[in-house]
Amino acid sequence: MSTTTESPKPLTKKDLTADHPTWCPGCGDFAVLATFFKVLEKLQIPHEKICTIAGIGCSSRFPYFVNGHGVHFIHGRALPFATGVSLSRPDLHVFAFGGDGDGYSIGGNHLDHAARKNVNLTYIVMDNFVYGLTKKQTSPTSPKGFKSKTDPTGAIDQPINPMKKLVYGGASFVARTHATQVKHMMEVFERAILHPGFSVVEVLSECVIFYPGAFDDGNPRKGGTFDLIEEKKWDNSPEDAERHDVSDENEAYRLASLQYPGKFGVFYETDRPTKNQLEQVWIDSTREKVGDASAVDLLSSRFASMK
Amino acid sequence: MSTTTESPKPLTKKDLTADHPTWCPGCGDFAVLATFFKVLEKLQIPHEKICTIAGIGCSSRFPYFVNGHGVHFIHGRALPFATGVSLSRPDLHVFAFGGDGDGYSIGGNHLDHAARKNVNLTYIVMDNFVYGLTKKQTSPTSPKGFKSKTDPTGAIDQPINPMKKLVYGGASFVARTHATQVKHMMEVFERAILHPGFSVVEVLSECVIFYPGAFDDGNPRKGGTFDLIEEKKWDNSPEDAERHDVSDENEAYRLASLQYPGKFGVFYETDRPTKNQLEQVWIDSTREKVGDASAVDLLSSRFASMK
Amino acid sequence: MSPSATSDSPELAASPASSGVTELQNAVIRFAGNSQDGIQTIGGLLARLAGRSSREVMTYMTIPSTISGGPSIFQVHLGSGEVLSAGDESDFLFAFYQHSYDSHIGSLRPGGICIYDTDNVQEVKSDLDALHVGIPITSATVEALGGSSRERGKNLFALGLVTQIFKLNKEKVIGLVSKQFGGKNEDVLRNAMLAFDAGFAYPVGDLLKVEYELQQGRGSAVDKVTTDGNTAMVLGLLAGGVRYGAAYPITPWSTIMEQLRVELPKYGGLFVQAEDELAAVAMALGFAYSGHVSVTGSSGPGLSLKMEALSYATMAELPLVVINVQRGGPSTGLPTSVEQSDLMQAIYGSHGDCPRIVLAPKNVADCFYIAVEACELARKYSCPVFVLTDMALASRIEAFEQPDLAALVHEPVLDLSPRGEEFKPYPLDGLTRHAAPGSPMTAGKYPVVTGLEHDEWGHPSANPGIHQKMTERRREKIKAFGATLPKPEIYGDASGEALIVGWGSTWGPIREAVERLRAAGRQVGCIHLRHLNPMPNGMEEIFASYANVLVVEMNDEGLYGQGQLATLLRARHCDPKIRSICKTDGLNYRVRDIVSRVEAAIAG
Amino acid sequence: MSPSATSDSPELAASPASSGVTELQNAVIRFAGNSQDGIQTIGGLLARLAGRSSREVMTYMTIPSTISGGPSIFQVHLGSGEVLSAGDESDFLFAFYQHSYDSHIGSLRPGGICIYDTDNVQEVKSDLDALHVGIPITSATVEALGGSSRERGKNLFALGLVTQIFKLNKEKVIGLVSKQFGGKNEDVLRNAMLAFDAGFAYPVGDLLKVEYELQQGRGSAVDKVTTDGNTAMVLGLLAGGVRYGAAYPITPWSTIMEQLRVELPKYGGLFVQAEDELAAVAMALGFAYSGHVSVTGSSGPGLSLKMEALSYATMAELPLVVINVQRGGPSTGLPTSVEQSDLMQAIYGSHGDCPRIVLAPKNVADCFYIAVEACELARKYSCPVFVLTDMALASRIEAFEQPDLAALVHEPVLDLSPRGEEFKPYPLDGLTRHAAPGSPMTAGKYPVVTGLEHDEWGHPSANPGIHQKMTERRREKIKAFGATLPKPEIYGDASGEALIVGWGSTWGPIREAVERLRAAGRQVGCIHLRHLNPMPNGMEEIFASYANVLVVEMNDEGLYGQGQLATLLRARHCDPKIRSICKTDGLNYRVRDIVSRVEAAIAG
Ligand SMILES: Cc1ncc(C[n+]2csc(CCOP(=O)(O)OP(=O)(O)O)c2C)c(N)n1
Ligand SMILES: Cc1ncc(C[n+]2csc(CCOP(=O)(O)OP(=O)(O)O)c2C)c(N)n1
Ligand code: SF4
Ligand code: SF4
Ligand SMILES: [Mg+2]
Ligand SMILES: [Mg+2]
């Protein structure tokens, strides 16, 4: 997505703020929202071009809290809805938001297919390793042993690895950050938004009610380490050989295999044609072929051919 | 799945043959069926313990052609159905069959979740890179440029890479073979069936009607190459260093990235507890805790506690 | 094939015209062979020819149940008058194989003519009341083509025979053949013409004993459009202003999506093949939210998968056309048979009180018109609009007059005008008007479209009063549309022994049944509902004029003896006269079945 | 809170007993605070106490709309006679905060008593016909606990007050408190008792002016079971023989699946949390196919997602219990409000002719019994059986007699016996009997279970006759079950001005309304349908005895003025007397609303 700066008066956080979030005090999602506002302020996307779309979950209430065109859709289907918006409205900046349940459980297939098609939009997942809104059931990212209402003696299924899912799926920008690391979150959000194609940011965002402390390991203030991916600078230095080449899919996959809390930053980034572009090429060449005919003309000649 | 050999009279291909397949003459799926029969003959699984389950598609008609307990379910949901069978009936040998549309498009999410949970069953995908039964629409494995009824000027979306999907997803046995390579198919099927856990074989199986010649590149008889994965023998030889360690997930992923037709054989194999085992441990310990009480006893004491 | 308007009269060609040639008003010709033989192709050509000869036509075909092909038929009912059904029985049977002969000789009416391929049919039932005409179709074709071993061309040989027998306009036929095969390589067209000419020249006259001539139609001299229902639907959607849509393939819906995928880019639009039906309806709603009237569709199983998102469409009030090409159910059921068993689901399939508009086309031309109407309604009422077509209409070919495109075609314009202070997407006193994303909100407050209950501004609210009011609002707008519907027109007697009520693809056979019943002295009329939800008002007045109200449907009689439309009518009108004539054999109604069941119902 | 059986009588405590103590037959106590205050806990304890005092009880609670909590109420209706509703109005209101007071003082009936926390409530409406009693609940509790700053314990202080005011059996209350808090660390129980004692000892007597005593119940001396509807449903499923199931979480269904997940391993079974509702129903069908009666469930949106697989369940004839805990719709609608708007979907939601059994429990105890019955029916008729419960029943607490477990509990046995030559899973002359996988087929031919139409052996067949016969077969078995249902019992007058017809959770309020109407001189009766599809036969005879048949439902009146059950009844019986009393405000019916609307309907 590219930014435009033709908006007459600058867009401020105040313009972007809608209702006061209904999240629990301390919920990690507040920081995600605040950061999103900051990035929008910086990028100065025209107000009316901002479109946020979500499924169902605590995190999926996001659109209510952003004062922009918004959609609170059904559980798990935010991405195909957003695909419809993105493909038919190249003028908009389309953002999808959701949680681990919405995105990796019920919505898991749509994520893979939106990724391989490289639909032009930015998707931010607030992963809290639990179903928040429905009050503490095991989510596909809940670690083994996590005690929930559906796994009272501890979760037994191997969780999904979201970074692997995104890398394998073909998302053209894949990053990971932490809701307590606002500066990093800002950087990553901005890069995701500026990336042309399907960009995804996985944010570890704590549910203070149903999974407090889940991400302390990635939070230096709570004694954890926030270990950043060092990206290649292509400066031919010996250090650079050790750094991560974000265009290397196999390396990105290997990075995703690291043990929790793992690394943060951009895992993968590539520039390949979006579905939007590819379909537009077809549309344009077809329109050219029919000489930009009107609907009446097109239909008339079609009917004539059936006589 | 382990085999048992306690069946009184040996099970023959004849016993296993049901209706004559309704597939088109020359369809790759015939060879898959014949090979399946051969492996069952070899393994001598008791007849009544064979249970084949499929969704919808040409390939998904498989259960009709196997004379065993069978299920022709709905499109895309064979795996969760088979999960129900596998989890509640440890005595059975559960097989799921399907096509690329059934398994990677509508059913793609179930595949990921069955894989991560490591449900004990064997899944064979007959991938023909096209929707056969509905007569030539683009499938999630159709290569770019493939002309179908829904992509008359050639498919534009990047296809799914099934091997990556299976490796990322956590299937504990992942292999790839070719319907014209019967010997290889047999080996791979046998290993998949003997593997304890979620084992998947992707078979390139030509649709002679809607995508003839799709797999010639992998068929030496048609001038292609059938390039096998050499697996490590752990013999400390220098050659062995070059060979593939099937337990190395990152290597398996790298192998999956090779350009078409790529490699055939076992990409990944690991031994981790199945969901069946893990749930059974919980069930057994719970039963022990309640002293193997009868339902009436359990309910009586529960009611007593609510007074 | 009889001088009367119906194809069911007891005798063949009772009245040779003065010229010694028997003039036919109607002829039902059944080609029975294998799906690989190209019988659909010549059937289609005959239908097209009818359209060009101001004749009416209706076709009927079967699809083999295996992908590899197999036995298949194509039946063409040609008529110079109104053609309302594909014909209960055939007047002429072309049997290409022994199995074709065995399976279809029973469909030939007494006194009919069976032309069979002596190269493949060994045994015929010579004791039947039928004229058997053996012709070595295969070898004559091979000979004509100079020894082609692939047995191609038998269909064109047969077309040549038909052109000869019925004295069809040879030039027109050749024109159509050239159009059909001209695009391919030269050999193909040359071979086609060789086979056609051989059939046309084959000395069949003596064998038939009588000469036939199919009357020219009485209608306008303008060439008619000849096409099938799914294609007509596609054209109606394009005319109605649909530019975006998404779906997943399934038989018999697929040919609609395939055509939309090809056609929409010509109009600057796009159709997307989604990964499944859940994604498809979500994408289509994304298009609708973006400011377009959009379309999704499927058949039976795929519709069930869309029920959750369609509930959202009602709640959020988004303009979406939903097409269901019905087939035999439940579950995968009978994927290539016709049935009308998804009406209740269209109305009641989603959770919650979910009022939505449901329409059904009555014939191929109406597939076009109803699609146009569906788009208009979705736009006007900002809601999901269902169209229930079916397997029979999907593949049936009919000829009809070209619609007035200049008057009907809607060129959509995206409205991104700024909205002011007063903007309310869900006003309690008006229809929903969304501000599509991209519209500046001059008062600075942007709307969120939600599936939660909400107030006039779209804010979620669990306030009891609001839910009650908004539920009413969603219901009342559909009722308001219902109030605009004219009372259905009665065909036949305006009062009498029985009113037949139908919907969907049974329109033709029901009308023909009314004609026959009246010809037999019965006082009957019929109405055909194109609007199933809401239904038009005032029908009780129509019902009052008849002793019986008989609802003819292709679905099951249910637990209490009533089909789906009958259930709806009884619930609304509480009139015990309303009874059902149902069936679920996966076949179109034969006119004579309707006649006899109506007779029985009148009798008691 | 009155000597009469209804809680709606105009005056408070009109007849002090001779002892100077006012004997109460009923009392409706509403606790209004925040969801964090533990008012559900003491409400639950009071309900449990009622069960131990052969009293009847019904509770009602609201759930805050945000996860972080917020205003919430818990209402307990205690009675020595029959308690049929949670009470239209409260006799006693405990208001913990100003917002609690402001929102709920309106629910206090004239002459009622409001006890409020003077630490948090600044302003009371002194001009109301109510006795205001201010007590420093917060500071008294903090004091009692020795200065705890966390404000915990106010609920137990209030429980102490209630025990004191209503002269409840203190030992029993303390027993229950110990049971509730005893498991945790010692401090917790000690603090709880400190707070309780402080409330119990608080000098409230003078403030109230009158002494109250809640009568002992008249019922058996046996302790009753006290629980909510979702828990009763879980226990019914266990008793009915369910050992396997799968689902996906959604409010208010989740607590059923959470309990099943915990309970089933005790019985050697298993409940699986699936990745979505599509997988859940497929897994559940996998369990069913494997030889078990299995269960899946959800609420509104999740049910819509299951419609395709449920169509398969009808076609393949697999035994599956499907539970829908209804909430406000459409779409995500009102997730924590009650509604009965999924009845039509339960019957008609899937594509194709898809007959299935639909049941609905009438109260908490019936959640147990209907679950047992659902399992039996699924087993006997080998088909999907829907149970429509709702948000109100899900969380409502009632006391009821322990069911006769020895007679009801079904211990399932897996039947893997060999099947012989004669085995036909779908016999035209009998009920479906599947051979579960693992069963040897002695004739060597194994069955395939399919969603395609099939013959008696289960082989797919597109034969028209077979589809017709099998459609009949699937319908007739459901009809056969319908024929076994007894005519519904009439409560109240067996003939007269109006028959009220209800279903589901409105049973209590409707019965109470009948009592009040009769007390007011009206001739009315009611029937309550627990079997919605098929419905019992012979209801027309009942209807014939009344001038009006009024169907009370919590759903919309639809396009033609009728709610969902009314639509079904009118379609079946074609009786225009059948009319609807509907509402969609997401709240339970208040008895007085039913009374007034029935009065209005009788009047014309
Ligand atoms: C079809 C459907 N199924 C289930 C639900 C219930 N539901 C709402 S949100 C949710 C999960 C939320 O988890 P997540 O996406 O991780 O979001 P969080 O609340 O943790 O931010 C579920 C199961 C629903 N609304 N719709
Ligand atoms: C819910 C639903 N959607 C769509 C269909 C139609 N359908 C049947 S098979 C199929 C795809 C088949 O492709 P694949 O799985 O690759 O199998 P193949 O025929 O190629 O072996 C589709 C779209 C269906 N039966 N049900
Ligand atoms: S429940 Fe958890 S995820 Fe939801 S708002 Fe509260 S803290 Fe956030
Ligand atoms: S259509 Fe293709 S996949 Fe299907 S049976 Fe024929 S050859 Fe096989
Ligand atoms: Mg979450
Ligand atoms: Mg395929």
Side-chain angles (χ1 to χ4, degrees), chain C residues 482-498:
Chain C
T484 69
L485 293 173
K487 234 198 281 181
E489 262 179 51
I490 299 167
Y491 178 84
D493 297 312
S495 65
E497 292 164 287

Side-chain angles (χ1 to χ4, degrees), chain B residues 75 105 131 137-138 150-151, chain C residues 66 68 248 258 261 273 275:
Chain B
H75 193 37
S105 194
Y131 284 6
Q137 295 85 11
T138 302
T150 45
D151 274 314
Chain C
T66 57
S68 53
Y248 187 72
E258 288 159 5
R261 173 90 177 134
Q273 177 180 337
E275 58 270 28

Side-chain angles (χ1 to χ4, degrees), chain A residues 22-25 56 58 74-75 77 101 105-106 131-133 135 137-138 149-152, chain D residues 63 66-68 248-251 254 257-258 261-262 273-278 305 331-332:
Chain A
T22 46
W23 292 315
C24 309
I56 305 284
C58 292
I74 55 177
H75 193 37
R77 322 284 171 211
S105 193
I106 188 168
Y131 284 6
L133 188 68
K135 303 184 178 166
Q137 296 84 12
T138 303
K149 287 186 187 149
T150 45
D151 275 314
Chain D
I63 296 172
T66 56
I67 275 288
S68 53
Y248 187 72
I250 187 168
T251 306
S254 301
M257 76 175 277
E258 288 159 4
R261 174 90 179 134
V262 175
Q273 177 180 338
E275 58 270 29
D276 61 17
E277 285 86 353
L278 307 157
L305 289 173
S331 199
T332 25

Side-chain angles (χ1 to χ4, degrees), chain A residues 22-30 57-59 61 126 128 130-136 205-211, chain D residues 66-68:
Chain A
T22 46
W23 292 315
C24 309
C27 177
D29 298 351
F30 280 104
C58 292
S59 38
R61 297 188 78 98
M126 283 150 273
N128 55 11
V130 70
Y131 284 6
L133 188 68
T134 47
K135 303 184 178 166
K136 201 177 190 173
S205 175
E206 183 177 339
C207 172
V208 293
I209 303 295
F210 299 122
Y211 202 163
Chain D
T66 56
I67 275 288
S68 53

Side-chain angles (χ1 to χ4, degrees), chain B residues 22-25 56 58 74-75 77 101 105-106 131-135 137-138 149-152 156 209-210, chain C residues 63-69 248-251 254 257-259 261-262 273-278 305 331-332:
Chain B
T22 46
W23 293 314
C24 309
I56 305 283
C58 292
I74 56 178
H75 193 37
R77 322 285 171 209
S105 194
I106 189 168
Y131 284 6
L133 188 69
T134 48
K135 304 187 177 163
Q137 295 85 11
T138 302
K149 287 184 186 151
T150 45
D151 274 314
I156 66 165
I209 304 294
F210 298 122
Chain C
I63 295 173
S65 54
T66 57
I67 275 288
S68 53
Y248 187 72
I250 187 169
T251 306
S254 301
M257 75 176 277
E258 288 159 5
Q259 293 187 65
R261 173 90 177 134
V262 175
Q273 177 180 337
E275 58 270 28
D276 61 17
E277 286 87 354
L278 307 157
L305 289 174
S331 199
T332 28

Side-chain angles (χ1 to χ4, degrees), chain A residues 163-185:
Chain A
M163 304 320 286
K164 287 187 187 173
K165 182 177 179 70
L166 294 167
V167 168
Y168 121 78
S172 54
F173 178 95
V174 178
R176 182 167 182 254
T177 183
H178 193 299
T180 60
Q181 306 296 321
V182 173
K183 200 173 137 280
H184 186 255
M185 222 185 337

Side-chain angles (χ1 to χ4, degrees), chain B residues 23 27 29 55-61 73-77 98-106 125-135 137 139-141 205 207 210, chain C residues 67 248-251 254 273 276-277 298-305 327 332 335, chain D residues 308 351:
Chain B
W23 293 314
C27 178
D29 298 351
I56 305 283
C58 292
S59 38
S60 293
R61 298 188 75 99
F73 193 48
I74 56 178
H75 193 37
R77 322 285 171 209
D100 39 325
D102 195 72
Y104 308 141
S105 194
I106 189 168
V125 183
M126 283 151 273
D127 191 350
N128 55 12
F129 290 11
V130 70
Y131 284 6
L133 188 69
T134 48
K135 304 187 177 163
Q137 295 85 11
S139 105
T141 49
S205 175
C207 171
F210 298 122
Chain C
I67 275 288
Y248 187 72
I250 187 169
T251 306
S254 301
Q273 177 180 337
D276 61 17
E277 286 87 354
S298 189
S299 295
L303 263 296
S304 284
L305 289 174
R327 56 186 224 183
T332 28
Chain D
E308 190 207 359
H351 65 283

